[in-house]
Amino acid sequence: MKKKTILKTIVIAGHFIAIMLICKPAFSQYIGQYQIEMTKRSEITAKAQSFNLQDVRLLDSRFKQNMERDAKWMLSISNASLLHTWRLNAGIASNAKPLGGWESPNCELRGHTMGHILSGLALMYASTGEIVYKQKADSLVTALAECQQVLDEGGYLSAFPKQFVNRAIKGEWVWAPWYTIHKVMAGLIDMYLYTGNKQALDIAEKMSGWAFHKLEPLTPQQLATMEKTEFGGMSEVAYNLYAITGNKNDKRLAELFYHHAILDPLANKEDKLAGVHANTQIPKIIGAARGYELTHDDTLKTIAEFFWQTVIDHHTFATGGNSDQEFFFTPDQISKHITATTTETCNTYNMLKLTRHLFAWTADVKYADYYERALYNHILPSQEAESGMVTYLQSLKPGLFKTYSSHDDSFWCCVGTSFENHAKYAESIYYHTDNGIYVNLFIPSELNWGEKGFKIVQQTRYPEESVTNLTVKEAPSHIPFSLYIRYPHWATSGAKITINGKAVKISEKPGSYIELKRVWKTGDEVAVSFPMSLRLIPANDNAKVAAIAYGPLLLAGDMGTGGINPPAPFARDQLEFVKYNIPEDVISSLTVKKRKLTEWLTPLVGKQLTFETKDVAARPITLIPYYQIDKQRYVLYWNLK
């Protein structure tokens, strides 16, 4: 691919990187049904570009079902209740029913859900085209504009008084005011980018202006003191705003949130993550990645790449999640942290955001492999299959169960990110170059690349089955295109591909892309099969402690529902059930005696993706995909004897 001028025209506030290739200083780019005026910011070389969410539609699958449950939940939350604390803070009368949990009127983090809801509704609108999501979100934006105007505090807007920010600057205890401001600004920018709401952009610009004038006079020491309080992705959102506005104050605001204490060691390729709060740091790295894209500062690139690789290699569980009690721990100590308080869901939400940046820069299959791993084994399992409620932590303690939120009395950070997680499944299925399409995920979907006149439909029951079928619905004539099919690292049993029924010779190895280049015609059919097999995923510090996977899926031992009494597994407090007693009949040790995995774990006839142990414990144990675990106890890591 020839080097071209690349402008990051679309903010990836957690959702997509659409890196537009241009060859002139200024241009207009249509995204969906609206126009963004941009000015040239930087030049970097990208290997892959994301499709807009509007270009991809999910077909029926667990992913689409999760998305529909998510949509139903968001639509059911009263706008008046969401706005209640915002209006009170602005001095506007409100007698709406307050929300509970982290959105209650006495909670210092109140207001963060508003940003997630705006992002979630904007994403849902882009993912479906259904106007109801835009209408609900537009109403919220209009009300927020009124609050900002009535406050009349130089652009300040929040559900809490600005004294909270003053406390952070002084180093006094306060619960993360900049974190909440970031979430709201991100939601407003998403409303502009995905729905064309210009009022949302105006509100965000005023908020950024207030923040810049607030922080620009501070000394480096004052900034360092303030940055000890969690500030979320303020650098990312400010860079994103700069990409739209060209206002150098937005760029400067992003730089003011460069946290030297965390980022400088990473720039020197030093892993000093042990003991730091995990999800406080990941958004800072996303900000560095965004900064690299807009400034071409290689130090920021080093930070992003080193952090990602370090976390994946030394701090990540088999699920793709990380952290214990929300903190990074000593590297390569996985087996010592199989506890009740592992893998905060927000962490993986943010790791996937970072992964999308890195894949766009490199088109390296390792990023797509991780994305699949975390998506299937942490994000997909985070939603309860009937109510749509979601997890905060996903326990690895043998015999515990998932704790799910309540409908309107929790609103943890991971509730907020869940509104986005399940609305944007379509964002990373496909990427493209000038003349090719990457097929990264095997999810039933339809891609319409209008610019090239190329439309394909992916039909599959993956991962229940190993085959995915791609049908070309439209294709430009006489122009060769490449389909780059991800050959997963776990597919060690080989691959099979046919085009219109004729076998294709495959020379590539697992952990690469299989290129299919030809002049495609309407009606062409590609069948791809990656036979799945069982494998162990040992802890990085102890091979005798291991999880079990089948293809891309982590398998969980189903330990039943004994002792789970209502309201469990639903809770107001995310830690409510972590000290629940574990029944004595829960089994987490297997006496395998060096036998091969396939000798003691075999598929159950007639039940897809279901396996049973043989002669390794006091009784047979049934294992199913972790994403199918709902309200029962489970075991993910086993002690192997």
Side-chain angles (χ1 to χ4, degrees), residues 156 179 183 207 223 231 234 251 264 339 347 373 398 480 495 505 532 534 554 569 576:
Y156 177 77
Y179 171 95
K183 295 300 182 185
M207 292 178 73
L223 288 170
F231 57 83
M234 278 301 300
K251 176 174 176 288
D264 287 352
T339 76
N347 296 14
R373 170 187 171 189
K505 183 179 179 181
M532 300 180 189
L534 290 165
L554 202 60
E576 189 166 339

Side-chain angles (χ1 to χ4, degrees), residues 79-94 99 103 105 109-116 118 140 143-148 150-151 156-160 180-181 183-185 188 203 207:
N79 277 17
S81 293
L82 280 166
L83 288 161
H84 178 65
T85 52
W86 295 82
R87 285 173 167 154
L88 292 181
N89 189 58
I92 301 172
S94 172
L99 300 174
E103 282 299 334
L109 207 68
R110 60 188 181 270
H112 72 107
T113 301
M114 175 65 76
H116 290 296
L118 289 175
L140 291 170
L144 290 176
E146 180 189 13
C147 291
Q148 190 178 50
V150 172
L151 271 170
Y156 177 77
L157 176 65
S158 192
F160 49 76
T180 298
I181 291 170
K183 295 300 182 185
V184 176
M185 290 181 66
L188 291 165
I203 298 170
M207 292 178 73

Side-chain angles (χ1 to χ4, degrees), residues 537-587:
I537 305 177
N540 57 17
D541 60 325
N542 186 349
K544 293 294 185 180
V545 176
I548 300 171
Y550 180 68
L553 302 175
L554 202 60
L555 299 179
D558 186 344
M559 295 294 159
T561 59
I564 304 177
N565 302 313
F570 302 97
R572 186 179 191 271
D573 182 345
Q574 73 276 14
L575 299 176
E576 189 166 339
F577 306 125
V578 298
K579 294 183 179 180
Y580 243 48
N581 291 329
I582 305 299
E584 292 182 359
D585 62 350
V586 166
I587 297 173

